[in-house]
Amino acid sequence: MRAEALSSNGWSCNWGIDFSDVSRRDFIKLVGAASITAMLPSCYREDKQAPTQEQAITVFTGGKVLTVDADFSEAEAIAVRGNRILAVGSDAEVRQTAGDGAKIVDLGGRTVLPGFVDPHTHVVAGSIVDAVMDYVGMARFQTTDEVLAHIAERAAETPAGEWLVFRNFDPAVQEGPDRLTFAELDSISTEHPIFVLNASGHLAYANSKAFEVSGIANDVVDPPGGEFVRDADGNLTGFMKNNVAYLHVASNYPALAEAEPVEALIGLLDKWRAVGLTTVSELSLGGLSQSPADAQVMAAAAQTGRLNARIRAYPFYTVGAKTWDEANVQQGDGNALARIAGYKLVADGSNQGFTGLQREPYLGTEDDRGLAYMSPEELTEVALERARKGWHLAIHGNGDAAIDNILDTCEALVEAGIDMSKVRPRIEHCSILHDEQIARMKELGVSASFLIGHVHYWGVAMRDEVFGEEKAQLLDRCRSAEEAGVGFTLHSDFMVTDPDPLHMIEMAVTRKTWKEPEYVLAPQEKISVESAIRALTSEAAWQLFSEHEIGSLETGKFADFVILDEDPREVNPDAIKEIKVLETWMDGKQVYQA
């Protein structure tokens, strides 16, 4: 069965997804046959109508309008007509442009900002995981013993044979052993399959029953870029590295087959209205079904008319460039609501999971330098192939050696005559960064996207367990990037951390840590509130190839904005996260009110 491309009558997407053979079977296995039928008519209309004089006009005035334009201008008023910004400026100017019939909204001294943009989340797969996995992360449990006690409680109340599945466990910050194995999980139950996903998304743990029902025997061959970790005697331990390994277990969890991915995606974005997000992202499209069918989930959700945030998506390299091409998924497919924005590659794993690829061994180890998910040769080969076809590249790199590999790849692109202004390569997380790497980024036209939660939630662990004090100073170097003229954004990497833009702004401004609240990690890397706001609005829009339509409050752009009860620049930096989002507007409609 094939969903053919439509190119007439205003339909803008051209995704022909082939559900035959393996791709279709894999997708049915993961999201349920009933869901596929709903996804087949998956294209959605592009809004090509220009604003008309008949559309209602609303003027917001009596407060501060922080436009986040090139000058970070502050205006008195903003007018919206339909789903577009009609005017921004002084109260008198905006009222004159709006005309006598405009509705006037008194802001009462409140502050208006562009809608927040999180340039690196995982909303398609993440929405399913959020719906069907029990959260056991640091916000709930401080120690591994508490996590194991909770799993035991769940096992005691769950019939034998039913799965027990959990997410966001992180031994880097939850006190206890550095991993879960058959020993810990089998002691809880050998009658329930148990699966635990690490907060990084790069690691997972399972008991022997989960391996058994998944058909994984001791002689299983490690997939490329992944690992079923073994002990000194060569026996499986239940610890798995990279999704290409752990999906062999997780994909057998029945709740994944029963979940409705379209409804889960809509529901997740409904929750995020309250934090002011109007544009989000999917940085591993294909990660849910391990096929291009994930594009159908996004398109089907957009077609319902119920999405309350825009989505920019990146097909994932593990599905294979050829597979995406055969499905006719191309950069720019979609419309202003949901669009394919680029292609995602991964150079390494997670620093706190000790799979980030390092120049030097991890603290306290003799030769543990992490894991290359793609070899330097493969990374360059795939990047060249995609770039020559016009794809924007987002490349995951946490460790400094991985960032070396990414920059070598970018240098190869330049040498091949690739126009880097069209590729706009960005390094995802860009965690451990040396001065000479920042200089190379500037020279090669590479930007950074920092998972700022690494500083707040894992800063103490990076200092004491992962790198040591000196190397931890190289984590998320926002200020150094800014001073070098390297563009950067902030992101949540949901489900690694929750997407709370105001909290992310506070993290970047204060760099205080969760475990030691008065400890500031690398204070020289603090940035201003304005810079942090840019990183979650205009800069994020630029990285997503959407600066022409969102990211700042300027005439002609979409009316995506938030109304805050206070100006983030004027509160105590330690209280930025306490600012209330009073209203969220997306596409000219109020989608949230406190």
Side-chain angles (χ1 to χ4, degrees):
M1 185 179 296
R2 186 174 179 82
E4 297 295 344
L6 296 173
S7 59
S8 60
N9 299 322
W11 294 88
S12 66
C13 108
N14 60 352
W15 300 333
I17 305 298
D18 189 352
F19 288 110
S20 63
D21 301 328
V22 174
S23 293
R24 184 173 188 273
R25 288 198 301 272
D26 287 349
F27 193 55
I28 291 173
K29 188 176 184 182
L30 283 171
V31 301
S35 301
I36 292 177
T37 304
M39 292 172 203
L40 292 177
S42 63
C43 294
Y44 44 88
R45 287 191 183 274
E46 174 76 85
D47 177 11
K48 297 182 178 179
Q49 294 183 347
T52 64
Q53 294 298 328
E54 290 74 27
Q55 289 177 314
I57 298 174
T58 302
V59 173
F60 298 82
T61 189
K64 295 179 186 177
V65 179
L66 305 184
T67 65
V68 199
D69 62 7
D71 298 321
F72 212 101
S73 306
E74 183 175 326
E76 294 177 341
I78 180 170
V80 173
R81 180 171 65 197
N83 68 343
R84 300 275 182 170
I85 297 172
L86 175 65
V88 184
S90 70
D91 178 75
E93 291 169 339
V94 171
R95 285 177 185 261
Q96 182 178 10
T97 302
D100 294 337
K103 176 183 177 181
I104 307 298
V105 174
D106 184 1
L107 291 168
R110 297 173 293 178
T111 298
V112 181
L113 277 172
F116 292 120
V117 181
D118 192 328
H120 187 130
T121 64
H122 299 275
V123 293
V124 176
S127 61
I128 294 292
V129 172
D130 184 59
V132 302
M133 292 189 183
D134 188 354
Y135 177 85
V136 292
M138 67 189 87
R140 188 177 184 188
F141 301 116
Q142 302 291 305
T143 69
T144 300
D145 284 345
E146 291 177 299
V147 172
L148 293 174
H150 175 72
I151 296 174
E153 289 176 8
R154 288 285 312 279
E157 63 191 25
T158 303
E162 291 189 13
W163 281 71
L164 299 171
V165 179
F166 308 87
R167 71 174 178 92
N168 280 72
F169 170 69
D170 196 336
V173 290
Q174 292 168 303
E175 293 182 10
D178 62 2
R179 66 189 63 180
L180 298 179
T181 66
F182 289 156
E184 290 82 18
L185 297 177
D186 283 357
S187 68
I188 293 174
S189 176
T190 55
E191 296 183 337
H192 304 83
I194 300 175
F195 177 85
V196 183
L197 183 63
N198 185 281
S200 69
H202 290 268
L203 309 171
Y205 322 87
N207 69 347
S208 58
K209 185 67 173 179
F211 271 56
E212 176 191 328
V213 300
S214 301
I216 300 175
N218 205 53
D219 61 354
V220 64
V221 177
D222 289 338
E227 181 183 359
F228 292 98
V229 178
R230 292 167 167 80
D231 61 21
D233 296 323
N235 297 313
L236 293 172
T237 63
F239 178 35
M240 296 161 282
K241 296 181 178 180
N242 202 359
N243 67 337
V244 293
Y246 68 67
L247 281 176
H248 286 277
V249 176
S251 62
N252 295 286
Y253 176 34
L256 285 175
E258 297 163 6
E260 290 288 344
V262 173
E263 288 302 315
L265 178 55
I266 292 169
L268 181 68
L269 299 191
D270 279 349
K271 292 197 297 186
W272 290 358
R273 294 175 298 170
V275 294
L277 281 166
T278 56
T279 299
V280 298
S281 49
E282 173 50 73
L283 264 289
S284 57
L285 193 70
L288 174 63
S289 65
Q290 289 299 294
S291 83
D294 280 18
Q296 299 294 86
V297 176
M298 181 176 75
Q303 191 182 16
T304 67
R306 293 163 52 208
L307 280 185
N308 286 310
R310 306 180 193 280
I311 304 174
R312 300 292 179 263
Y314 290 66
F316 200 38
Y317 81 105
T318 59
V319 174
K322 182 180 178 181
T323 302
W324 288 109
D325 288 348
E326 289 175 348
N328 200 25
V329 175
Q330 302 173 23
Q331 179 158 321
D333 283 353
N335 62 12
L337 183 58
R339 182 182 298 138
I340 301 295
Y343 198 81
K344 171 75 175 297
L345 302 172
V346 179
D348 69 342
S350 156
N351 291 333
Q352 65 268 29
F354 298 91
T355 53
L357 190 65
Q358 310 298 334
R359 293 178 177 180
E360 303 295 333
Y362 281 100
L363 185 67
T365 71
E366 291 186 1
D367 197 34
D368 184 359
R369 299 170 188 259
L371 183 65
Y373 281 17
M374 301 179 76
S375 70
E377 295 77 16
E378 181 188 11
L379 184 65
T380 298
E381 179 184 356
V382 177
L384 277 167
E385 188 274 338
R386 291 289 86 183
R388 286 184 173 125
K389 293 184 177 180
W391 283 89
H392 161 46
L393 297 177
I395 311 178
H396 166 119
N398 269 312
D400 48 9
I403 293 172
D404 285 335
N405 291 343
I406 293 169
L407 294 175
D408 288 346
T409 287
C410 291
E411 195 167 292
L413 296 180
V414 172
E415 291 173 353
I418 301 294
D419 184 347
M420 298 297 273
S421 68
K422 294 181 179 178
V423 176
R424 286 192 196 178
R426 61 187 241 224
I427 302 178
E428 302 303 310
H429 316 319
C430 204
S431 300
I432 296 298
L433 200 56
H434 298 270
D435 288 346
E436 75 274 9
Q437 292 176 319
I438 295 175
R440 289 186 74 190
M441 291 173 70
K442 174 63 176 176
E443 180 183 356
L444 295 168
V446 179
S447 66
S449 189
F450 297 116
L451 172 49
I452 197 62
H454 278 150
V455 172
H456 180 69
Y457 293 110
W458 288 275
V460 171
M462 296 290 188
R463 180 195 69 192
D464 296 346
E465 301 174 33
V466 181
F467 294 126
E469 176 75 34
E470 182 178 357
K471 191 170 181 177
Q473 301 298 308
L474 303 177
L475 183 66
D476 288 2
R477 298 184 66 189
C478 300
R479 181 67 175 271
S480 294
E482 182 176 44
E483 291 179 345
V486 172
F488 70 91
T489 59
L490 306 173
H491 67 257
S492 67
D493 196 15
F494 174 82
M495 302 164 290
V496 177
T497 66
D498 288 331
D500 185 341
L502 287 168
H503 194 194
M504 285 190 274
I505 290 170
E506 180 180 312
M507 292 177 197
V509 171
T510 70
R511 295 185 68 95
K512 290 186 175 180
T513 61
W514 169 75
K515 204 163 189 178
E516 296 179 11
E518 296 307 312
Y519 174 63
V520 177
L521 177 62
Q524 70 275 10
E525 298 298 342
K526 292 180 181 180
I527 56 174
S528 69
V529 175
E530 288 191 358
S531 294
I533 289 172
R534 282 193 185 280
L536 282 157
T537 54
S538 59
E539 286 289 336
W542 183 88
Q543 284 192 340
L544 297 174
F545 278 71
S546 296
E547 74 274 15
H548 61 289
E549 56 195 352
I550 60 170
S552 61
L553 301 178
E554 299 181 81
T555 300
K557 291 191 176 183
F558 288 116
D560 295 1
F561 57 94
V562 295
I563 301 176
L564 308 178
D565 69 341
E566 295 182 88
D567 183 341
R569 303 172 302 175
E570 296 182 358
V571 302
N572 184 315
D574 292 327
I576 293 174
K577 68 177 178 295
E578 305 302 330
I579 295 173
K580 290 183 174 59
V581 176
L582 300 177
E583 299 179 33
T584 303
W585 290 68
M586 201 280 285
D587 219 28
K589 302 181 182 69
Q590 185 189 68
V591 296
Y592 172 77
Q593 184 173 25

